[in-house]
Amino acid sequence: MPSVAIDREKFPPLYRTVAANDAGLESHSYIPGGLDVLTSHPLNDAPGANPEQFIGLALSTCLNATLEAIEERRDLPHSAQVHTIVELARDTRGFQFYLTAEVKIPGVDHDTAVAMVDLAERRCPVAKLLGSSDNVTVQLVSEFSPATPVES
């Protein structure tokens, strides 16, 4: 996907927030005046969320919100569900993520569901942000895959 510069005068931001982490992974991440989440490393047993979970939630939530808007425009009830499997793996320079967003749209025929997922992937801001990565897949499924934990 080619890089697109944002013309902020022509398209000024409609929303702005700050997501902050001031003390590293074993601390907390927060939105000033709002959400505050305990964070921890994904490979230990300490309580807390981690970047893998945050990016999975971002893709699942944004993609499903986009599908909800598509369903509404088609006068369909909102039935779409999105589960994103996030995997952390080593590579030659450290670590990388693999994301597989699985989409179910009960009550919609297969061809219509495929078209809706394709449109949602092209419209969802998070999917567009991640779309240039070969490590990100969005797919229509009839059943969600079991995401069994990896034992180290």
Side-chain angles (χ1 to χ4, degrees):
M1 194 182 279
S3 176
V4 177
I6 298 171
D7 180 346
R8 288 178 183 241
E9 287 189 29
K10 185 175 181 181
F11 300 106
L14 301 174
Y15 174 78
R16 179 178 291 121
T17 192
V18 174
N21 179 295
D22 298 329
L25 190 53
E26 300 293 334
S27 65
H28 68 111
S29 294
Y30 63 97
I31 306 300
L35 183 66
D36 194 321
V37 180
L38 183 66
T39 58
S40 69
H41 194 285
L43 301 179
N44 71 28
D45 292 333
N50 56 57
E52 293 78 2
Q53 294 167 335
F54 292 143
I55 199 162
L57 287 170
L59 182 57
S60 290
T61 303
C62 189
L63 199 54
N64 201 351
T66 305
L67 284 161
E68 185 175 15
I70 293 167
E71 289 168 322
E72 184 178 312
R73 284 188 186 98
R74 292 175 178 234
D75 292 323
L76 296 171
H78 178 51
S79 65
Q81 298 172 303
V82 182
H83 292 193
T84 300
I85 299 167
V86 183
E87 299 170 299
L88 170 68
R90 290 191 182 279
D91 67 12
T92 56
R93 291 185 254 165
F95 296 95
Q96 64 180 312
F97 295 149
Y98 294 100
L99 282 73
T100 305
E102 296 184 335
V103 180
K104 278 177 48 174
I105 310 177
V108 176
D109 69 82
H110 180 77
D111 290 343
T112 300
V114 167
M116 291 169 65
V117 170
D118 178 62
L119 181 59
E121 190 174 2
R122 288 184 283 121
R123 289 190 175 170
C124 166
V126 174
K128 288 193 286 187
L129 182 67
L130 301 172
S132 63
S133 173
D134 291 336
N135 292 7
V136 178
T137 304
V138 176
Q139 60 192 28
L140 180 66
V141 298
S142 56
E143 294 298 325
F144 292 120
S145 299
T148 55
V150 173
E151 302 297 328
S152 47

